[in-house]
Structure formats: C-alpha cells, structure tokens
Amino acid sequence: MTTYTGGCHCGKIAYAVEGEFNEAIVCNCSHCAMKGFRLAFVPREAFTLKKGEGEWSTYHFNKGAIDHNFCKTCGVESFAFGKMPDGMEIAAINLNCIDALDLSKLTVQDVDGKSV
Ligand SMILES: [Zn+2]
C-alpha cells in the first residue's frame, strides 16, 4: 500500500489516504461530469483527515446516499463519504486532488452513472 496525500485547492482541507491508485473511475452522471471527477473508492479506514474539519459543506442529491464534501473557501470537492450497497463505509477520493500522482498514467474505467 502507498500512502498518498491530497486535499482541496486552497489547502484548508488535507488528508492522507492508503491505496494503489492505478485506475480512475470516470462517471458520466450529471454531477460527476460537471465536476470532472477521476475517482477511486477506498475503505473509510484508509482515509485520514489531517486538517479541515468544519471547513467543508456537504452536497446531497438524488438519494442523498453520498456526502459530497466541498471546501467552503475554494469550492473543490476533494473527497466524499458514502456506503457501498453492502453497507461498507467508503471514501470516494477525487484523484485530481492527490499530490504527486501522474494522472496520465491512470487506466480509466468508464461508469455509466447517467443510466442508473
Ligand atoms: Zn479549499
């Protein structure tokens, strides 16, 4: 496992996350498309907030199953919290917000969220 660091644009929110990010999920739903996410899902325990508690607002839409946490200052959504269908708590990492990750090397996995 590699420990990556990431956060929002202004730096008020920063986190560490453990994983191997070789693949990015790109979803075509209205929300993901607008924000241009490249996503990876990790177990909630793999995500450690380093700073920024209270610095984000949370956006919900559709079934409200995912907490889309965006920075109140710069507007960047660097991570979200949610649950898998089996109830496992996960963090959705916006790989665009990870430091020192070569995005051009990621294999893109397209997800047709628009049709779900
Ligand atoms: Zn910010």
Side-chain angles (χ1 to χ4, degrees):
M1 284 286 183
T2 307
T3 302
Y4 296 89
T5 57
C8 69
H9 190 264
C10 72
K12 288 197 171 169
I13 296 166
Y15 56 76
V17 59
E18 283 177 37
E20 292 303 336
F21 298 145
N22 302 310
E23 219 175 56
I25 293 163
V26 174
C27 171
N28 65 358
C29 84
S30 57
H31 182 256
C32 288
M34 274 194 186
K35 290 191 174 172
F37 288 137
R38 290 184 183 93
L39 293 172
F41 299 104
V42 298
R44 179 66 183 78
E45 313 81 70
F47 176 92
T48 307
L49 187 72
K50 289 159 85 178
K51 62 174 178 164
E53 192 74 59
E55 295 291 347
W56 64 78
S57 287
T58 301
Y59 176 60
H60 293 115
F61 72 105
N62 197 4
K63 292 175 188 152
I66 302 171
D67 295 334
H68 292 282
N69 302 320
F70 63 95
C71 175
K72 287 181 194 171
T73 301
C74 69
V76 170
E77 180 178 335
S78 56
F79 71 100
F81 289 143
K83 276 186 189 168
M84 298 306 267
D86 66 1
M88 188 179 87
E89 305 227 8
I90 55 111
I93 305 301
N94 181 357
L95 296 178
N96 295 326
C97 297
I98 295 294
D99 307 320
L101 180 65
D102 187 347
L103 296 169
S104 69
K105 295 218 164 67
L106 299 175
T107 306
V108 171
Q109 189 190 337
D110 290 306
V111 171
D112 188 12
K114 198 193 241 175
S115 307
V116 174

